[in-house]
Amino acid sequence: MAISSTELELVIPTTTDGLTILEIARGISLFDAGDVDTIQELWTEFATRGDSESWYHFLGASKSGNLAGFACYGRRPLTEGTFDLYWIAVDSRHHRQGIGEFLLKHVEAQVQSRGGHLLIAETAGKPAFEPTRHFYLGSGYELEGRLRDFYAIGDDLYIFTRHFPLG
Ligand SMILES: CC(C)(COP(=O)(O)OP(=O)(O)OC[C@H]1O[C@@H](n2cnc3c(N)ncnc32)[C@H](O)[C@@H]1OP(=O)(O)O)[C@@H](O)C(=O)NCCC(=O)NCCS
């Protein structure tokens, strides 16, 4: 379903986009097989239950009619108004063209429209994730926490946040 029309178009992905979403995820060298399996699990819940019933919400960015990136977000269990950005990924052939920022802005708008006041983006501290950390910092996120050796010895958890004004 198209929501706006600019060079990039926001879409709510439908079942036919599932393969492309997984292809994009598989094409991200930072993601391992476990990451792709998790994305597939969340996608299956979304595709089966639909946006109104699913705990996870997917958004897609379409460029010239082709899905070029996706984001998945949802409420953080046991909180009020706190959301997690579970995944965001842009087709590796289209990095650095503003697609990630486009998706992030739409996730933020949707979180706020669902009554959210806080969006959390967790990522890894490995050097390979430095571009991802730059992406969050450059998009106005604060590094609010860091858990040393969280993923593995020498691989920290970085917690980036964005707080939205209430009202
Ligand atoms: C992180 C990711 C989603 C960013 O998407 P993108 O479309 O390439 O990013 P954008 O073009 O919107 O970049 C927006 C800003 O983020 C920063 N940024 C993005 N990629 C960067 C990089 N490789 N190095 C440094 N800064 C970067 C810049 O400030 C950039 O603005 P600029 O290009 O005007 O300087 C994309 O690189 C990606 O899919 N990475 C692999 C998956 C991943 O790490 N996901 C997050 C964890 S789930």
Side-chain angles (χ1 to χ4, degrees), residues 86-104:
Y86 289 109
W87 299 97
I88 184 164
V90 171
D91 184 324
S92 47
R93 294 167 298 185
H94 296 293
H95 281 184
R96 226 53 205 269
Q97 296 173 10
I99 299 173
E101 198 165 26
F102 173 86
L103 282 165
L104 194 55

Side-chain angles (χ1 to χ4, degrees), residues 34-153:
D35 294 329
V36 177
D37 286 349
T38 309
I39 291 167
Q40 179 154 29
E41 213 176 284
L42 307 195
W43 169 256
T44 300
E45 142 119 16
F46 174 79
T48 309
R49 298 171 68 96
D51 190 58
S52 56
E53 296 294 321
S54 174
W55 184 265
Y56 308 104
H57 305 286
F58 276 76
L59 297 181
S62 170
K63 191 179 164 105
S64 311
N66 297 310
L67 198 70
F70 69 89
C72 171
Y73 72 94
R75 289 180 189 277
R76 178 85 167 205
L78 308 177
T79 67
E80 281 178 23
T82 298
F83 284 70
D84 277 312
L85 178 67
Y86 289 109
W87 299 97
I88 184 164
V90 171
D91 184 324
S92 47
R93 294 167 298 185
H94 296 293
H95 281 184
R96 226 53 205 269
Q97 296 173 10
I99 299 173
E101 198 165 26
F102 173 86
L103 282 165
L104 194 55
K105 292 296 160 221
H106 282 286
V107 168
E108 290 169 3
Q110 292 205 359
V111 162
Q112 289 178 88
S113 73
R114 292 177 194 271
H117 66 268
L118 172 61
L119 180 59
I120 299 174
E122 296 183 350
T123 197
K126 281 192 282 207
F129 279 84
E130 201 176 339
T132 304
R133 297 193 296 274
H134 271 287
F135 169 68
Y136 290 126
L137 288 171
S139 303
Y141 283 67
E142 256 181 83
L143 177 60
E144 202 160 323
R146 179 176 164 193
L147 293 184
R148 284 180 296 133
D149 300 332
F150 177 82
Y151 291 108
I153 301 288

